[in-house]
Amino acid sequence: MKKIAAIIFKNDMGELLLYKRDNKPGIPFPLHWDLIGGHLEEGETPEEALVREVKEELDYDLKDFAFFRKYECLEGDAYPNIKYIYTGLINIPSDKITLYEGDHARYFNPAETEKLNFANIIGSIIRDYLKHVNDTGQ
């Protein structure tokens, strides 16, 4: 089964950084919102893949992050996969973000995320995360 590492980035204002997927032939869920991250390469740990993917997609050196949850995505995606989801803090202003993969990135306050079209199960993951934040006060 394919494995994916992705991160829920939050800024100091509590907004989540998401990116809109490209609208290119062959890309699943075109123009849907998604988390920064990607597939593990042969021999990589989820953490190594996450750091590499964040560098490739944002040219950002990810240092501090924490594991959130593992999700088995057996349906609702282009193929069955396991998603390793992490959390981290990012405070790059929107106009300074350079996205190297995808259409564009932007911050959303938690309420705004309820109306977004997410790729695969990302909407459920975001809801889980926001519930966790509300329940734990983190």
Side-chain angles (χ1 to χ4, degrees):
M1 193 176 317
K2 293 191 179 199
K3 296 178 181 177
I4 296 166
I7 189 163
I8 299 171
F9 270 128
K10 185 167 72 168
N11 66 15
D12 284 339
M13 295 172 23
E15 298 169 319
L16 306 179
L17 180 65
L18 303 169
Y19 86 98
K20 188 172 260 193
R21 296 172 65 84
D22 282 316
N23 187 18
K24 295 180 181 174
I27 292 183
F29 305 99
L31 299 177
H32 284 65
W33 292 97
D34 206 345
L35 298 173
I36 302 294
H39 294 93
L40 276 67
E41 293 179 354
E42 187 68 35
E44 274 186 321
T45 66
E47 293 82 9
E48 291 167 337
L50 182 67
V51 169
R52 176 184 51 76
E53 286 286 343
V54 169
K55 182 67 174 173
E56 289 174 3
E57 294 181 17
L58 292 177
D59 194 25
Y60 181 75
D61 293 317
L62 183 62
K63 303 265 190 255
D64 296 319
F65 56 96
F67 180 73
F68 175 58
R69 289 193 181 137
K70 178 173 112 174
Y71 293 84
E72 288 189 20
C73 186
L74 303 178
E75 56 186 42
D77 207 336
Y79 43 80
N81 62 76
I82 297 173
K83 296 181 188 321
Y84 297 90
I85 306 297
Y86 296 84
T87 60
L89 186 66
I90 192 165
N91 281 299
I92 300 171
S94 295
D95 61 343
K96 302 288 186 213
I97 294 173
T98 301
L99 186 66
Y100 292 95
E101 294 179 21
D103 186 70
H104 69 280
R106 75 168 268 221
Y107 291 99
F108 292 92
N109 70 49
E112 290 176 306
T113 64
E114 295 172 18
K115 297 177 180 80
L116 298 178
N117 288 325
F118 285 104
N120 54 62
I121 67 164
I122 298 302
S124 296
I125 292 170
I126 296 291
R127 285 188 293 278
D128 283 352
Y129 170 73
L130 292 173
K131 183 179 183 320
H132 171 78
V133 168
N134 287 337
D135 290 350
T136 62
Q138 294 181 359

